[in-house]
Structure formats: C-alpha cells, structure tokens
Amino acid sequence: MTVKWIGKRMMMGVVVLLVVSFLSFFIMHAAPGDPATAFYGGNAQTLNAAEKERISRVFSLDRPITAQYGSWLVETLKGNLGISYKEGRPVITILRERLPNTLLLFGVTMFFIIVGSVWLGTIAGMKAGSILDKGLSILSIATSSIPAFWLGILFISFFAVKLGVLPSSGTGEIGGEGGFWDKLRYLILPATVIIFTHVGIFARFLQENIKDESRKYYVTVARANGVTEREIRKGILHNASFPYLNYIGMTIPSFFGGSIIVESLFSWNGLGQLTIKSVVTKDFPLLMGSILLIGMLVVISLFIIDFLMYSLNPKLRKGGVQ
C-alpha cells in the first residue's frame, strides 16, 4: 500500500508540474513585449523591426506557441533549461546559485512558524475562554492583516536606517568575512517579516481545532472513565494535528508567493527575486526555469506533508482514505 500511495502522489506531482508549466508558458508568451528587451533594456526602442525579427528567429520565437512549448518540454526533460537571455549563462547554473538562499529562508521561517504556532496554539487552545485564548485570536487577526511589504518597509526604516544594527538588503556570504553570522544578519529581517505575518494565523488554526476536539464526546467519556488529563490532552493534540498539517500543506503555495515579495523587498538573492527580475526583462528561459523549480519545491513540500499525515493516521494506512 505504501509503494502504491507514493506512486500515486508522484504521478499527481508530475501532472501538477505539467499543468503549471503549460499555463505559465502560454500566459508568459501572451504578455506584451518582446525578448529584445532582455538584451537591450531601455535601448530596445532603438531597434527596427528587422532586428527584432532576427532576435525572434535566433531563439525560435517565430514558431507557433505549441511548437515552442513542445521543444521546451523535450529539452527540459533532458535537463536542459536553456540559456538566459539577460545573463547569457545556462539557466540551470543560475538556479543552482539561487536555490540555497531560498531553501534557507523557507526552512528557517517554516521552522519558527511551526514551533511558535504549536506552542501558542496549544497553550491557548487548552485554556478556552481565558485571556490567552482571546488574546491569541486578536493577535492572529492583527498580524495576518498586515501586508508583508509594508511591515518590511517599517523594519528597514527602524532597524537598518534609524538604528543601523541590521543590513537593509542583500544576502551575505557564509564564506565571507563575517562567516555564518554575516549570513544570519542579512537573514533576520526578511525571516522576521514572514514569521510575524504567518505565525499568528497558524496558531489560531491549531487553537480552534484543539478547542473543537476538547468539546467532543470521546473526551467526556474518557474523563468519566478516569483517564488522566495528560492522556486526554495527548489524544486531543493527536487528533488536532491532522487538520493542522493539512492547513500547512494548503498554505505552502501562497507562502512561496508571499516570499517572492519579501525577497524582492530585501534584495534576497533567491528564486523569488529572480522570478520578478525575469518577468521585468522578459527573460523567458530563466522565468520558466524559476517557475518550474518553485513548483517542484511546492510539490515536494506537499508530498512531505501528505507522507506525515499518512504515517500518523491509521485510516490512511488501512486504505480508508486515498
């Protein structure tokens, strides 16, 4: 059953990536503009029609859109993502340079969001009606309502400009003069913005699920039969963890979407910032490579969440839910 389940999830992931690549390719090519902008920037306006047509022929952009997508897909399956129009380097090389920064930002923020939300949500959920319960509800609404870019601007103005204790932009290098701590200084502000705008709503979701579980009949029966409060709480947390994990999986795509804004705001050299730059310059190969890699990260993250739920939930292992 496990092999069959993994096979089904992998096939679903492949289908998702195909749909994402198909839609992205056609939407991208339907957008106004032309690839000459990637080469000549503001000077592209000086090119005549013949020169623009020559550039289109060089990159096969004069072919039907379906033929272009077919060629791109075949080359991608071979591991060739093409050459960046703007940088003149293999797309896969550029993505390899940017991927570690995105993984670092994603890993650190998700770790603190999960740890913080589990801690806050559990404490507040177990004390329904308390000041902490009501306070977390208000806090989650307030923090989730703050736009990430606005909060980021405030952080830059206060911590970077006014106090001067943290850098306002950049990524830093682990191998640089400051070593690991230099990298950490650049990571603090973008990571804090993402954590602050997500941890409250994650905690609120777990909090409400714990409160719902606490009111169910099996909890009353367990108390009547003399089951200890510790065991009852373990059961409540176990049952509340399934919708919480599912919620994490549902928010991962939007999480990556939000991180694109944060990466651009703080000039964090990750895939998000690269995607924005590729859109601006109409760098089709680099944009498609970025979208495909981000899509793969989302699919892998969702697979991990599904696997955790499959491992923790006996109904899934017995084939009750596919």
Side-chain angles (χ1 to χ4, degrees):
M1 179 58 69
T2 302
V3 174
K4 181 180 179 182
W5 182 89
I6 292 175
K8 288 178 65 175
R9 289 302 186 273
M10 290 180 65
M11 287 301 299
M12 290 173 59
V14 171
V15 172
V16 168
L17 290 177
L18 283 174
V19 172
V20 168
S21 67
F22 179 84
L23 293 176
S24 301
F25 194 91
F26 279 79
I27 293 174
M28 179 177 62
H29 282 74
D34 55 75
T37 305
F39 294 101
Y40 297 99
N43 295 324
Q45 301 299 326
T46 63
L47 298 176
N48 57 40
E51 290 173 323
K52 291 183 178 180
E53 289 179 6
R54 180 184 61 81
I55 293 173
S56 295
R57 285 196 303 272
V58 169
F59 292 98
S60 301
L61 297 176
D62 56 338
R63 299 169 60 197
I65 189 68
T66 52
Q68 292 183 48
Y69 176 75
S71 299
W72 175 85
L73 184 59
V74 170
E75 291 299 318
T76 298
L77 292 175
K78 294 178 181 178
N80 177 24
L81 295 177
I83 303 296
S84 167
Y85 294 167
K86 185 68 175 178
E87 299 192 27
R89 297 191 296 149
V91 170
I92 194 168
T93 300
I94 300 172
L95 296 179
R96 193 181 296 120
E97 295 170 354
R98 298 294 189 108
L99 179 60
N101 289 328
T102 292
L103 291 179
L104 176 64
L105 182 62
F106 176 71
V108 169
T109 53
M110 282 303 297
F111 173 79
F112 283 103
I113 287 171
I114 292 173
V115 171
S117 63
V118 168
W119 179 62
L120 291 172
T122 301
I123 294 176
M126 290 296 182
K127 297 180 179 180
S130 66
I131 295 177
L132 183 60
D133 176 31
K134 297 176 182 178
L136 180 58
S137 298
I138 296 172
L139 179 65
S140 65
I141 296 174
T143 56
S144 62
S145 300
I146 299 175
F149 72 89
W150 183 78
L151 183 63
I153 292 173
L154 288 182
F155 279 10
I156 290 173
S157 300
F158 184 74
F159 292 103
V161 178
K162 186 174 182 179
L163 298 182
V165 295
L166 293 171
S168 61
S169 61
T171 310
E173 297 293 338
I174 292 180
E177 295 181 1
F180 172 77
W181 296 111
D182 180 61
K183 189 79 171 182
L184 181 62
R185 289 178 63 249
Y186 285 91
L187 177 65
I188 289 175
L189 286 184
T192 302
V193 169
I194 296 176
I195 293 169
F196 189 85
T197 53
H198 285 78
V199 69
I201 196 67
F202 275 59
R204 173 72 185 280
F205 189 87
L206 180 61
Q207 170 195 10
E208 293 301 320
N209 276 281
I210 290 175
K211 289 162 66 175
D212 289 341
E213 288 293 326
S214 299
R215 291 190 289 264
K216 289 186 176 179
Y217 182 68
Y218 76 86
V219 175
T220 304
V221 173
R223 287 199 174 100
N225 289 330
V227 179
T228 63
E229 284 297 318
R230 182 177 181 181
E231 291 299 319
I232 291 174
R233 290 184 177 183
K234 285 177 61 177
I236 291 173
L237 288 174
H238 182 267
N239 291 333
S241 65
F242 299 128
Y244 176 72
L245 285 173
N246 189 51
Y247 179 75
I248 293 176
M250 291 172 58
T251 57
I252 282 177
S254 61
F255 184 91
F256 273 101
S259 67
I260 290 177
I261 298 174
V262 174
E263 285 191 12
S264 299
L265 178 63
F266 289 96
S267 297
W268 182 263
N269 293 324
L271 296 175
Q273 185 197 42
L274 185 66
T275 301
I276 296 296
K277 287 184 176 180
S278 302
V279 171
V280 173
T281 60
K282 300 284 289 185
D283 194 337
F284 295 158
L286 190 54
L287 179 57
M288 283 302 300
S290 301
I291 292 174
L292 184 63
L293 186 52
I294 291 175
M296 289 178 64
L297 292 177
V298 171
V299 168
I300 292 171
S301 300
L302 293 177
F303 176 81
I304 293 173
I305 295 296
D306 284 346
F307 185 77
L308 288 174
M309 294 186 65
Y310 179 85
S311 303
L312 295 173
N313 194 338
K315 292 182 180 180
L316 294 177
R317 296 197 299 272
K318 292 178 181 178
V321 180
Q322 296 298 327

